[in-house]
Amino acid sequence: MQFESLQLIEPILKAVKEEGYTTPTPIQAQAIPIVLKGSDLLGCAQTGTGKTAAFAIPIIQLLSAAPATNQKKKIRSLIVTPTRELAIQIGESFKAYGRHTHLNGTVVFGGVGQSPQVTALKRGVDILVATPGRLLDLMSQGYISLHDVEIFVLDEADRMLDMGFIHDVKKLLAALPKKRQTLFFSATMPPEIVKLAGSILHQPEKVSVTPVSSTVDIIQQQVFFVDKGNKISLLLEILNDKNIKTALVFTRTKHGADKVVRTLQKHHIKAEAIHGNKAQNARQRALANFKAQTTRVLVATDIAARGIDVDDLEYVINYEISNLPETYVHRIGRTGRAGARGTAFSFCDAEEKEYLRDIEKLIGKKIPVVESHSFPLTDHHPVKAPKQQQGKRNTGYSGHKHSSNNSAKKNYGKPKTPRY
Ligand code: AMP
């Protein structure tokens, strides 16, 4: 199927072509016709499936087909998404797909000064992309009115609930016109999401793509069993492979992310962290450096990384495995975007083995194990291991130096490098 067969207007077809897209992704092929005919939509899809274009393209088409009658522009479409990064990326997508139309839009999110956002709003926008907190804030100050919203999109609803935005969402819903078109997207559909969707959608058509397991199928996944204290050495060994131009590394905590970055920097690997403790502009800068490949390794926590969209990101490394199996899918979904190649490595210590089992259950397959690497797991029962011994094993993660009798160092450049 081609974009031409979706009855799209010329300015959109042109923009899509300029983006380099040739065929619609499955979510686009299914969702675009539904949105174009004005129906509500319940979409079960995660980022990486092309879902942003699946709603942005038909919204642009609907709004440009029926131009606003009012003199001053009013917000006709509102897209609410949980994180700043997602908001910015959605804003960029609208700009890209709508560049040959007269429509304009802006993005509002917290953590930055509000005055440039207020200035943009005062000029008048057709499309507003927002995170919930700043949106409500600007509404309460009278800078935003939702009275004229025709199409409302709730993006990443499951994440929204996870992040505690349910009350904000309810407040927004109360401020939206009853008569509107609503598009609801969520990567997962737990009961509370189904309930929320039921309460805000009107006779929705359902679209579900790439169930978790099939999305991850195109990503080459491998697991390395390794002692906790040797993870940094294993990471250094893997990064010794110059074919790895960039890698997104996930840690569980902000502190852990900073620690990994410091150690990589000491080993002259350009690395930056992206997490909630970083100021918004520092996060944006880190992301821009990573996209430009001036930073080779971006170390991220889950919330900060949600929605990070880096074209051609080939490597995702789970430095620590999350206890939530769905997080694994979201993490590795940063690579292999829209059918591109991707590789995901997971470092699994003894404590994380049960998380790995949950992940394998969710994705419905065993993740191949890399047997021959320099730091095989020795500490099978970390809880029972005497403290003294654990400390000994931890020498690989001693911070500033990579001890010279460390096996990683000895193996650098030797043929017996891990098979990955
Ligand atoms: P999303 O799921 O919206 O975060 O999109 C994931 C990635 O796929 C983004 O980098 C988009 O630019 C890209 N993309 C979206 N639609 C297409 C398409 N039809 N063909 C190729 N790439 C696409």
Side-chain angles (χ1 to χ4, degrees):
M1 182 197 248
Q2 301 291 298
F3 277 101
E4 281 74 9
S5 49
L6 288 171
Q7 326 276 299
L8 297 174
I9 54 174
E10 201 44 47
I12 294 179
L13 286 176
K14 192 169 164 205
V16 161
K17 210 166 172 185
E18 285 162 0
E19 284 300 294
Y21 304 168
T22 48
T23 37
T25 64
I27 183 89
Q28 291 161 5
Q30 293 177 61
I32 291 174
I34 295 173
V35 183
L36 282 180
K37 70 177 183 195
S39 297
D40 278 7
L41 177 78
L42 176 58
C44 184
Q46 57 189 90
T47 41
T49 54
K51 80 174 155 67
T52 313
F55 63 77
I57 287 175
I59 288 176
I60 293 168
Q61 177 142 334
L62 289 173
L63 297 190
S64 36
T69 46
N70 49 302
Q71 284 293 322
K72 188 183 173 320
K73 287 193 179 227
K74 291 191 177 153
I75 298 163
R76 299 175 64 202
S77 183
L78 171 71
I79 295 89
V80 177
T81 192
T83 70
R84 305 155 188 194
E85 285 78 12
L86 275 168
I88 292 169
Q89 276 161 19
I90 294 170
E92 282 169 358
S93 298
F94 269 99
K95 211 165 167 183
Y97 311 137
R99 70 166 80 95
H100 301 300
T101 69
H102 61 277
L103 299 169
N104 73 341
T106 198
V107 182
V108 301
F109 48 82
V112 293
Q114 71 169 39
S115 48
Q117 299 176 356
V118 170
T119 309
L121 289 165
K122 279 183 177 163
R123 276 199 297 268
V125 294
D126 301 290
I127 298 157
L128 178 66
V129 184
T131 54
R134 177 58 61 93
L135 174 61
L136 287 168
D137 197 359
L138 292 171
M139 281 164 63
S140 70
Q141 296 176 56
Y143 293 118
I144 293 175
S145 157
L146 303 184
H147 287 157
D148 299 278
V149 170
E150 296 161 37
I151 310 171
F152 169 58
V153 182
L154 191 66
D155 184 41
E156 306 251 339
D158 52 352
R159 195 63 170 182
M160 204 89 84
L161 260 52
D162 271 2
M163 290 172 71
F165 285 138
I166 184 69
H167 296 295
D168 287 354
V169 171
K170 287 192 171 148
K171 275 190 220 159
L172 287 175
L173 290 168
L176 282 163
K178 292 260 168 309
K179 189 172 167 301
R180 56 162 202 262
Q181 186 177 5
T182 306
L183 319 178
F184 183 107
F185 288 90
S186 188
T188 56
M189 289 287 165
E192 63 270 37
I193 290 290
V194 175
K195 196 169 149 214
L196 178 67
S199 71
I200 67 176
L201 294 167
H202 175 69
Q203 298 181 341
E205 294 201 32
K206 296 191 184 97
V207 167
S208 177
V209 292
T210 51
V212 168
S213 56
S214 58
T215 307
V216 299
D217 277 351
I218 56 163
I219 300 165
Q220 196 204 343
Q221 301 163 67
Q222 292 184 318
V223 61
F224 296 70
F225 288 109
V226 56
D227 292 327
K228 199 187 229 103
N230 276 338
K231 285 188 174 185
I232 194 73
S233 302
L234 178 61
L235 181 62
L236 286 164
E237 178 169 274
I238 286 175
L239 293 174
N240 206 29
D241 180 349
K242 297 288 176 278
N243 289 324
I244 302 181
K245 296 275 178 284
T246 52
L248 179 59
V249 173
F250 283 97
T251 59
R252 233 181 338 243
T253 64
K254 301 168 196 170
H255 174 68
D258 287 334
K259 204 164 161 187
V260 170
V261 166
R262 281 198 300 276
T263 312
L264 293 180
Q265 285 172 344
K266 279 174 191 148
H267 287 81
H268 311 292
I269 294 171
K270 287 200 171 136
E272 284 187 83
I274 182 166
H275 55 62
N277 282 2
K278 299 264 172 191
Q280 170 66 6
N281 52 5
R283 287 161 65 167
Q284 286 311 120
R285 207 172 38 239
L287 192 56
N289 290 342
F290 187 60
K291 284 185 179 178
Q293 302 199 353
T294 48
T295 290
R296 186 173 171 219
V297 181
L298 190 66
V299 186
T301 56
D302 290 301
I303 294 205
R306 185 72 183 256
I308 287 181
D309 184 10
V310 180
D311 286 343
D312 306 325
L313 172 66
E314 234 185 279
Y315 291 89
V316 165
I317 300 174
N318 288 306
Y319 188 85
E320 283 156 338
I321 299 181
S322 168
N323 57 342
L324 301 170
E326 272 150 8
T327 299
Y328 174 81
V329 178
H330 292 308
R331 286 179 176 186
I332 75 168
R334 307 298 96 218
T335 181
R337 311 278 277 185
R341 263 179 350 132
T343 302
F345 297 142
S346 297
F347 296 179
C348 181
D349 66 29
E351 282 175 58
E352 293 167 326
K353 277 186 174 176
E354 59 174 292
Y355 306 153
L356 182 68
R357 273 195 294 275
D358 291 343
I359 290 166
E360 292 182 330
K361 211 147 94 199
L362 177 74
I363 64 173
K365 67 173 188 185
K366 283 249 171 247
I367 304 174
V369 178
V370 177
E371 303 283 359
S372 63
H373 66 85
S374 306
F375 303 96
L377 187 70
T378 55
D379 200 358
H380 293 276
H381 303 285
V383 185
K384 288 181 199 143
K387 263 209 154 90
Q388 188 64 26
Q389 269 191 342
Q390 268 195 343
K392 254 187 173 170
R393 287 192 191 98
N394 284 354
T395 48
Y397 197 9
S398 58
H400 59 283
K401 70 172 188 276
H402 204 65
S403 91
S404 59
N405 61 359
N406 182 305
S407 56
K409 184 130 189 178
K410 278 196 265 170
N411 277 290
Y412 277 2
K414 283 194 174 179
K416 195 188 148 276
T417 43
R419 270 183 275 120
Y420 49 78

